[in-house]
Amino acid sequence: MDNELLLLSSNDIPFLEAQVNIHQPTLSEISLIGEESFFSGCQFLNFSKSILNLEDKTDLEDRSDFEIFMSIMCSSEKLDYKNNAMMVLTLLFPTSQIKLMPNELVLMNKNGLSRINNANFDAFKDIIVSMFELNDLDTGGGYNPADSRAAKIAEKLQKAKNRKAQDGPHKVAILSRYVSILAVGEQKDINDFMHYTVFQLKDEFKRYQMKQSFDMYVQAKMAGAKDLDEVDNWMDDIHP
């Protein structure tokens, strides 16, 4: 999705392939489920075989991303990332009742029925990747497909998760950290940021970083730095 102005507007995003709009949740709305559940759910909704090695891709060659995704969502097992995905879907479609069917997600609202299925799953993922800039995030969690051909993938992903866990507990606090930095750096009320969407917050944070870098460059030049190497050295001295 390349409509940056629409993303910045905080308006709902038209999901034309399903004839429904996707709501851009605010930070206040996301806070109700917590950052860890939010990002875990987002990453699972963005499931792709592209993260797998060649052997696993070959083993699941006849299965689409959506088919593997639905095999997990429809499993009877109580899995955190599955529950997190449902909570994120509730944020994205707040006026719809979401029903899991074997081959599709059905969204029921006053305007009728909409469906997320094998035909439009890629378009759905493209929207949420842009909305939440998921390509900037590290994928976490393990997947446990209720299918024998996909089961070994869950084992490998779980092993990767366990290796990370050995490094100690990891608290997900990306959005809250951005908010606290911007509130201090821009001298704004922290509550104002709670009305931002994820895209708005990240965009403002990037602009803030660029301004900080430019201001430091100007300070270095005024302090006598003559070239970029001297500027870098000056910046390293004051911010080791």
Side-chain angles (χ1 to χ4, degrees):
M1 179 180 177
D2 57 3
N3 192 338
E4 185 173 336
L5 184 60
L6 179 57
L7 292 168
L8 277 172
S9 73
S10 81
N11 288 326
D12 291 350
I13 308 298
F15 180 17
L16 300 178
E17 292 79 358
Q19 294 298 299
V20 69
N21 290 333
I22 298 179
H23 174 62
Q24 293 196 70
T26 64
L27 301 186
S28 180
E29 292 167 336
I30 293 170
S31 72
L32 297 175
I33 68 173
E35 286 193 54
E36 186 165 356
S37 295
F38 172 71
F39 285 118
S40 171
C42 285
Q43 289 291 4
F44 184 48
L45 289 173
N46 189 36
F47 178 82
S48 172
K49 289 188 293 185
S50 64
I51 66 173
L52 308 178
N53 60 36
L54 181 59
E55 178 185 355
D56 293 329
K57 287 180 184 178
T58 302
D59 190 42
L60 293 169
E61 188 174 2
D62 61 333
R63 304 294 300 276
S64 69
D65 291 340
F66 184 74
E67 287 171 335
I68 299 172
F69 169 78
M70 288 304 296
S71 74
I72 304 170
M73 293 297 292
C74 292
S75 69
S76 59
E77 297 179 73
K78 295 182 179 179
L79 306 169
D80 287 343
Y81 48 83
K82 182 174 75 171
N83 294 334
N84 294 338
M86 284 300 298
M87 287 192 288
V88 173
L89 285 170
T90 301
L91 293 177
L92 298 178
F93 304 103
T95 62
S96 297
Q97 181 181 350
I98 303 168
K99 186 173 182 179
L100 288 172
M101 302 296 287
N103 299 312
E104 61 184 4
L105 288 167
V106 178
L107 310 173
M108 300 178 287
N109 55 53
K110 63 180 181 180
N111 297 320
L113 299 180
S114 299
R115 293 174 170 84
I116 300 177
N117 52 35
N118 204 40
N120 59 29
F121 187 54
D122 285 343
F124 169 71
K125 290 196 298 180
D126 181 57
I127 292 174
I128 64 170
V129 165
S130 297
M131 279 176 55
F132 304 132
E133 298 192 331
L134 298 182
N135 289 331
D136 293 342
L137 299 175
D138 180 27
T139 55
Y143 304 132
N144 188 20
D147 186 289
S148 59
R149 289 175 292 179
K152 66 178 183 179
I153 295 173
E155 180 181 357
K156 291 185 177 182
L157 293 174
Q158 185 61 43
K159 287 180 179 179
K161 179 181 178 181
N162 291 340
R163 286 195 297 271
K164 290 183 179 180
Q166 291 175 0
D167 296 331
H170 176 63
K171 179 181 178 181
V172 179
I174 301 170
L175 303 178
S176 57
R177 188 168 299 152
Y178 282 8
V179 166
S180 62
I181 291 172
L182 287 173
V184 173
E186 297 182 338
Q187 298 183 359
K188 290 184 178 180
D189 185 343
I190 199 169
N191 293 299
D192 291 343
F193 291 106
M194 293 298 106
H195 301 291
Y196 279 38
T197 65
V198 173
F199 190 88
Q200 289 175 328
L201 181 70
K202 288 190 173 184
D203 182 77
E204 185 157 335
F205 188 76
K206 290 174 185 175
R207 301 299 175 183
Y208 174 73
Q209 286 182 309
M210 292 170 64
K211 181 181 182 304
Q212 287 291 93
S213 296
F214 177 76
D215 288 347
M216 293 178 68
Y217 172 80
V218 172
Q219 290 179 47
K221 294 292 287 184
M222 293 178 65
K226 297 179 181 179
D227 54 37
L228 290 178
D229 288 337
E230 288 189 26
V231 170
D232 289 339
N233 292 335
W234 183 86
M235 293 172 68
D236 288 340
D237 289 339
I238 64 171
H239 292 284

